[in-house]
Amino acid sequence: MTAPVIAAVVIAVLLLIAIVLLVIELRRTPGGGRARASAGPAVTGAVALDEVDRALRVLVTACDRAGRDFPDVYAVECAADRVTLRLAAYEPEAPPPWEGDGDGTAWTLPRAGRQTGGQIPADSHPYPLVVSLGLHEDRRVLVNLARAAGPVSLAGPAPQVGRLTLRLLTELLTGPVGRDAEITLTGDVAAGFRAHLAGARPERLRLAATLAEAQRGGREQPAARTGATQIFQLLDDGRAAAEPDQPRRLAVIGADQFRAESSGQTAPAGGAVLVLGEVDHAAWRLEVRADGGLDTGALGLPVDSTGGLR
């Protein structure tokens, strides 16, 4: 075999190896070869919650000016340059500065709109149970727990479920989006989370022995209730900032106790219910995956990672 032939064979082998490595890398990359965009501090940091809160208050003002109802929002996505609402009902026309996507399933507010759009006061908006699930590419993914038409099941290994639950509850109690949320820890769940949440707006953290008691509001903590816990915060023109069908109360309960006490109940009476563990007939089923992501089931929300949020 001559030298040129040997060189050609070597080059062909190297090219084949390169092609194989490229194919392997493409299969590892989500989106068929598109590099996954990374989420920066504007998405992972606490500033993202300020942006979501501001966007929701701009939304209330825009709807109020247009004389229309608030949209049926089941999820929110926050990127560095925009906030997007995922809608459960067809709404093709968005009130400015919000922009509709054309098919009526999403409204988007660019960063410029968040800064210039009119806003209701910082102590009011109608979506108090919007909370972060995790990250997808360059976006923070939040879900509106109040939108679930029944219990929300959070399944997976107990340590991962516990960590995610603590983060969800901490965000609701300390972040700007959930400023009107009330959390009721039910039964044995209280022992696992009460100490970690004791310093987080204690006037909105309650305890209950049973599911029925939790859905009535639970027992008051020693701290007195404040004006911020009124059922509805009013706008300047007297219109309620929270619609009656938007619960602000979240009961958290273990799966065993829920199964024993729910009697097949599927609709949340008086608020949303987060069940820690697997239960039948859950309206939404969320499962922490082994890779750290979250399977959101029928919600169809991609979540690559439940960690990395501040």
Side-chain angles (χ1 to χ4, degrees):
M1 185 177 294
T2 63
V5 173
I6 294 175
V9 171
V10 171
I11 292 173
V13 171
L14 291 176
L15 286 173
L16 179 61
I17 293 174
I19 291 172
V20 171
L21 293 175
L22 178 61
V23 170
I24 293 174
E25 184 62 26
L26 289 176
R27 289 180 175 177
R28 288 176 176 173
T29 303
R34 292 182 289 105
R36 175 180 294 182
S38 60
V43 172
T44 62
V47 65
L49 297 177
D50 292 328
E51 292 294 334
V52 171
D53 177 60
R54 183 179 296 112
L56 292 175
R57 289 188 282 114
V58 170
L59 173 69
V60 171
T61 302
C63 289
D64 190 59
R65 288 174 175 171
R68 59 185 297 170
D69 294 335
F70 306 136
D72 191 356
V73 176
Y74 73 90
V76 180
E77 293 180 354
C78 179
D81 61 345
R82 67 195 183 279
V83 170
T84 300
L85 307 179
R86 299 296 173 190
L87 308 181
Y90 179 72
E91 295 275 3
E93 299 295 330
W98 287 85
E99 302 170 357
D101 66 347
D103 64 2
T105 62
W107 291 357
T108 297
L109 183 69
R111 175 174 288 276
R114 279 178 278 171
Q115 302 303 325
T116 60
Q119 303 169 37
I120 59 171
D123 61 354
S124 307
H125 74 66
Y127 304 97
L129 294 185
V130 168
V131 67
S132 303
L133 293 181
L135 298 171
H136 173 57
E137 297 180 348
D138 63 340
R139 304 185 292 280
R140 188 180 190 119
V141 180
L142 304 91
V143 68
N144 182 12
L145 295 174
R147 180 59 183 77
V152 178
S153 169
L154 181 55
Q160 287 90 324
V161 168
R163 284 193 293 270
L164 178 55
T165 302
L166 181 58
R167 183 175 63 71
L168 297 179
L169 300 184
T170 300
E171 180 178 311
L172 285 172
L173 288 171
T174 64
V177 180
R179 65 169 55 85
D180 292 330
E182 292 184 358
I183 308 298
T184 303
L185 304 177
T186 310
D188 293 340
V189 166
F193 296 104
R194 183 182 182 186
H196 297 286
L197 299 171
R201 293 176 179 166
E203 73 278 1
R204 293 194 287 105
L205 180 64
R206 292 164 170 73
L207 306 176
T210 67
L211 177 61
E213 182 183 341
Q215 294 180 320
R216 290 195 301 269
R219 301 190 301 274
E220 298 284 354
Q221 292 288 73
R225 297 186 68 176
T226 68
T229 62
Q230 294 299 314
I231 294 180
F232 301 129
Q233 298 288 341
L234 299 181
L235 300 181
D236 292 341
D237 64 355
R239 179 183 176 192
E243 298 287 355
D245 60 354
Q246 288 284 323
R248 67 188 181 107
R249 182 185 304 142
L250 177 66
V252 186
I253 187 171
D256 291 340
Q257 183 175 359
F258 180 83
R259 282 191 290 267
E261 297 181 10
S262 66
S263 300
Q265 176 180 319
T266 58
V273 178
L274 179 64
V275 182
L276 307 187
E278 189 79 59
V279 292
D280 294 332
H281 310 302
W284 295 345
R285 182 184 181 278
L286 312 176
E287 182 176 8
V288 184
R289 300 194 306 261
D291 63 0
L294 192 69
D295 182 352
T296 62
L299 277 175
L301 298 173
V303 178
D304 304 322
S305 172
T306 59
L309 299 180
R310 297 183 294 280

